[in-house]
Amino acid sequence: MKKKILAGLLTVSACFALGSTSFAATAPTTTIDPTPVSNVTSSPTYEEITIYMDSGEQRYIPGVLRELIYNDGAIILHENGWVSAVQYGAASIFAYDASGNIKAFTILVDRI
């Protein structure tokens, strides 16, 4: 009787062992392909900024490259990025940074 019980237990344990290995063998395997952080790029941003100035006032416009789009004589854009308000009017300046981001500045000069 003991031999039959022992044989039955061995049979059951063998079935469990074979069953668990077959499940492990059929499980799908996936590999993660991480993208290095240096290869991640973002698209340039665009931002509109309105600046109110009085005649005679000066402000700095940040950016690597500044481009004067419109000026009705209201400002003087200096090469170093400073803007001098000289008379009543408006002007538009695009400033680019090293990452290609664009800031569009609208400068409105008021009378004193």
Side-chain angles (χ1 to χ4, degrees), residues 4-101:
K4 288 185 179 182
I5 292 175
L6 186 58
L9 287 174
L10 288 174
T11 305
V12 170
S13 65
C15 289
F16 282 125
L18 289 176
S20 64
T21 56
S22 65
F23 286 118
T26 59
T29 58
T30 56
T31 57
I32 298 173
D33 184 23
T35 303
V37 175
S38 61
N39 291 344
V40 177
T41 59
S42 63
S43 61
T45 61
Y46 177 80
E47 183 179 2
E48 292 183 14
I49 301 166
T50 303
I51 298 174
Y52 298 95
M53 297 176 70
D54 292 326
S55 293
E57 188 178 349
Q58 288 191 341
R59 295 242 179 120
Y60 179 74
I61 301 296
V64 175
L65 175 68
R66 291 162 210 88
E67 188 176 325
L68 186 61
I69 303 299
Y70 171 78
N71 186 12
D72 62 359
I75 66 163
I76 296 173
L77 177 61
H78 303 281
E79 289 181 17
N80 59 3
W82 284 91
V83 172
S84 299
V86 292
Q87 69 180 15
Y88 176 77
S92 294
I93 299 172
F94 278 10
Y96 305 89
D97 65 8
S99 300
N101 299 321

